[in-house]
Amino acid sequence: MATFSSSSFAPMLIRSVLFVSLLSAAFLFGSGEAGPAHMVVDPEWHPATATWYGSADGDGSDGGACGYGTLVDVVPMKARVGAVSPVLFKGGEGCGACYKVRCLDASICSRRAVTVIVTDECPGGVCAFGRTHFDLSGAAFSRLAVAGRGGQLQNRGEISVVYRRTACKYGGKNIAFHVNEGSTSFWLSLLVEFEDGDGDIGSMQLKQANSAQWQDMKHIWGATWSLTPGPLVGPFSVRLTTLTTKQTLSAQDVIPKNWTPKATYTSRLNFA
């Protein structure tokens, strides 16, 4: 019978624990092309600048470069929208991401940060030349100030702020897929709405009825993705992978066989 001393048993125990830990990590986060897991919440504040646009108490843009349309005018997006410079817009892949923004002048600024959702792009002017800039709705910008001083802060124009990434929270809503106008069985275009967590999208795939194949969709602009080979036969399942943390979610048969353009179909899922 083999015997083990305490000195030989300890390294074996450590190796066993390490092996189990690695297996657990592989199970939780996946392997291969998914890459390492990252937290979407950034604990560090970073310097930036901010301005505002639209009416003084308004929602900013009418839709914006992300394609959210009238969603920017209603809760939960209402008064929380913002245009960002290209370094944060990321060619549209930054659409839907959420940031906390806080101004710095203690004489007028609130200590409370405002959470804004990327719904538009600010491509030129103060947003150009690699600057990190937030062009906020009038309502969001005024909320950077202490109560009753929003108008005075707006009168300053461009101000210094700090920002950090935060998780998006849509209060009980599940991810929805809006079928864009002009979609046909030969060209399907989808807009993703109300994505908790990362808020952004790195890739999307679609699976047709009675098929096991996931087809890659193409990012065309803003938060819009499309698939062109046809004819496409529903119901459609949609799988999306977030840009920042590479989390994946699959909504089975979320778009029905008799889908119609301009309709929105809500899944039963969202990221935690």
Side-chain angles (χ1 to χ4, degrees):
M1 176 183 296
T3 59
F4 299 92
S5 67
S6 60
S7 60
S8 62
F9 178 74
M12 292 176 62
L13 178 60
I14 292 171
R15 287 195 295 270
S16 298
V17 172
L18 179 59
F19 179 69
V20 172
S21 298
L22 289 173
L23 285 179
S24 300
F27 176 77
L28 289 172
F29 303 124
S31 57
E33 296 181 354
H38 299 284
M39 293 293 293
V40 69
V41 177
D42 185 355
E44 301 294 331
W45 292 96
H46 307 279
T49 51
T51 49
W52 62 281
Y53 69 118
S55 61
D57 59 352
D59 303 319
S61 60
D62 179 14
C66 289
Y68 294 123
T70 56
L71 286 178
V72 303
D73 299 321
V74 296
V75 175
M77 283 191 175
K78 183 178 178 64
R80 299 174 63 200
V81 307
V84 293
S85 56
V87 294
L88 296 180
F89 190 71
K90 302 173 184 176
E93 290 187 336
C95 287
C98 296
Y99 294 90
K100 287 189 178 294
V101 180
R102 181 166 55 85
C103 64
L104 300 174
D105 187 343
S107 68
I108 194 172
C109 295
S110 170
R111 290 182 294 179
R112 182 189 68 252
V114 172
T115 300
V116 295
I117 305 163
V118 176
T119 61
D120 203 355
E121 181 182 21
C122 171
V126 293
C127 297
F129 308 112
R131 296 182 62 183
T132 302
H133 187 85
F134 291 84
D135 198 17
L136 304 178
S137 68
F141 191 93
S142 65
R143 289 182 180 179
L144 293 172
V146 295
R149 304 283 300 277
Q152 296 177 45
L153 187 65
Q154 288 178 340
N155 290 338
R156 295 189 177 188
E158 182 180 341
I159 62 172
S160 295
V161 297
V162 289
Y163 76 99
R164 64 181 178 88
R165 186 76 177 272
T166 191
C168 297
K169 298 177 181 178
Y170 285 104
K173 285 186 174 292
N174 288 328
I175 289 177
F177 300 92
H178 178 78
V179 181
N180 288 314
E181 185 175 4
S183 291
T184 69
S185 59
F186 289 87
W187 183 79
L188 179 67
S189 174
L190 301 179
L191 174 78
V192 180
E193 302 172 353
F194 307 127
E195 179 194 329
D196 281 347
D198 292 17
D200 55 24
I201 302 168
S203 65
M204 279 181 61
Q205 292 84 33
L206 182 139
K207 184 168 65 174
Q208 300 185 57
N210 303 317
S211 174
Q213 179 186 5
W214 288 100
Q215 298 172 270
D216 290 331
M217 301 188 74
K218 181 180 180 181
H219 177 231
I220 52 176
W221 69 279
T224 299
W225 296 69
S226 71
L227 187 65
T228 52
L232 302 171
V233 180
F236 302 126
S237 300
V238 182
R239 181 168 66 191
L240 62 87
T241 301
T242 64
L243 178 68
T244 304
T245 65
K246 312 302 182 189
Q247 296 182 80
T248 298
L249 178 150
S250 299
Q252 299 296 323
D253 298 333
V254 64
I255 300 175
K257 182 178 181 179
N258 59 341
W259 62 270
T260 58
K262 299 193 290 185
T264 300
Y265 301 99
T266 302
S267 73
R268 298 180 180 179
L269 306 168
N270 212 326
F271 293 106

